[in-house]
Amino acid sequence: MGKHIDDAHRHIGVLPAYPFYGGPPVRPDTTAKATVRDFLASLDAEGVERALVLPNYGVPDPQVAFDLNALALEAAQADDRVRCGLWVSPKASDAARNDDALALVGEEGVAALKTSFLLGGDPDDPDCAEQLDRIFTTAAAHDLVVHVHTSPGAASDVDRIGHLVDRYGDDTRIHLVHLGGGMSGHLKLIGGRLFDWIEAGKQVYTDTSWAIGFAPTWLVAEIERRGVGHDRVLFATDTPWGDFAGEHARLSAAAGDGDLARTFFTENFEALYG
């Protein structure tokens, strides 16, 4: 690949088949890695120097993602190139599962807590308030990053996730995955909110996985125009839901070959995930 590359977001574990949207049971995560050995081999094959690994998730059974915390932690402790994030849930019904996950925050290799509203819950749902507070305050206390999925509409929309940045971003580092996750999210974040949060002192970061083609180029232009944000953008593949080749090409085209590319592909990972 010719340069040092760190991946700030990829998954480990294979999900069970599930009948999404009323169709037949399918297993779309075709490049998912079921073992630590295969996961590490994928880093070697792609030329990734270091990575943050997270439990794979997506089927509506919370136990599947929670069970994969052990595999993510095993990967982080097997190779010092790897750090891991632990899956945690915003839902009150998962409080006991969160107890088990949060008991691992002091383990070697843990750098983040990962949560999403794709499996239920809402940033403003009173039912989620206690668990969300546990997640963000635990991360702050242990110097961890909270990884939060973003995608347009519903509970993962930037409008909703932004409430968490406003509420916790002074004390907790928050990684907004997928740069908003689609057209509306890109427009909201790049069009102002990301930079406004940074200038207000919020510890907010993002990555360009899933980004529509125009977004990384516009993001770079806005960083240059506003003079902030170069230290808040990370390269990430979201493998197996994204792919290295596509994500690498897209961000490389926007960032070029100089200092900004080095910041996005390496230095910001070092600063955030060590």
Side-chain angles (χ1 to χ4, degrees), residues 31-54:
T31 61
K33 306 305 179 187
T35 68
V36 170
R37 180 178 179 178
D38 288 345
F39 176 82
L40 296 176
S42 72
L43 300 185
D44 294 336
E46 295 169 358
V48 173
E49 297 284 342
R50 287 181 296 182
L52 181 78
V53 62
L54 306 156

Side-chain angles (χ1 to χ4, degrees), residues 78-113:
D79 193 311
D80 61 10
R81 296 178 297 168
V82 180
R83 298 291 182 268
C84 79
L86 301 171
W87 175 264
V88 287
S89 169
K91 297 169 62 178
S93 57
D94 289 326
R97 296 183 176 99
N98 282 342
D99 290 342
D100 293 338
L102 294 175
L104 302 173
V105 296
E107 292 285 333
E108 181 181 355
V110 175
L113 300 176

Side-chain angles (χ1 to χ4, degrees), residues 73-265:
L73 183 59
E74 180 186 347
Q77 295 183 343
D79 193 311
D80 61 10
R81 296 178 297 168
V82 180
R83 298 291 182 268
C84 79
L86 301 171
W87 175 264
V88 287
S89 169
K91 297 169 62 178
S93 57
D94 289 326
R97 296 183 176 99
N98 282 342
D99 290 342
D100 293 338
L102 294 175
L104 302 173
V105 296
E107 292 285 333
E108 181 181 355
V110 175
L113 300 176
K114 167 75 180 197
T115 198
S116 172
F117 299 95
L118 290 181
L119 306 187
D122 188 294
D124 295 321
D125 185 348
D127 182 68
C128 295
E130 181 177 356
Q131 296 308 309
L132 285 171
D133 196 62
R134 289 181 72 198
I135 290 166
F136 282 89
T137 58
T138 298
H142 291 268
D143 198 27
L144 305 177
V145 179
V146 178
H147 240 241
V148 185
H149 172 86
T150 66
S151 55
S156 295
D157 194 273
V158 170
D159 289 341
R160 303 287 190 86
I161 301 299
H163 297 163
L164 299 176
V165 177
D166 292 335
R167 193 177 310 151
Y168 296 108
D170 290 334
D171 300 315
T172 306
R173 293 177 295 168
I174 303 172
H175 180 157
L176 301 179
V177 175
H178 306 316
L179 192 57
M183 179 63 80
S184 64
H186 298 339
L187 295 176
K188 292 170 184 177
L189 285 179
I190 304 171
R193 296 187 202 183
L194 176 65
F195 299 98
D196 292 344
W197 280 325
I198 293 169
E199 291 175 342
K202 303 297 183 183
Q203 299 185 81
V204 62
Y205 301 79
T206 192
D207 67 61
T208 56
S209 62
W210 293 17
I212 298 171
F214 78 96
T217 301
W218 183 31
L219 177 62
V220 167
E222 286 300 293
I223 288 171
E224 293 173 345
R225 184 180 73 84
R226 295 190 59 153
V228 297
H230 66 280
D231 57 345
R232 305 302 180 96
V233 178
L234 299 100
F235 171 68
T237 65
D238 193 26
T239 305
W241 305 107
D243 69 297
F244 177 89
E247 299 297 348
H248 181 266
R250 189 179 301 111
L251 188 56
S252 291
D257 295 323
D259 291 342
L260 193 61
R262 185 169 59 253
T263 301
F264 289 173
F265 283 100

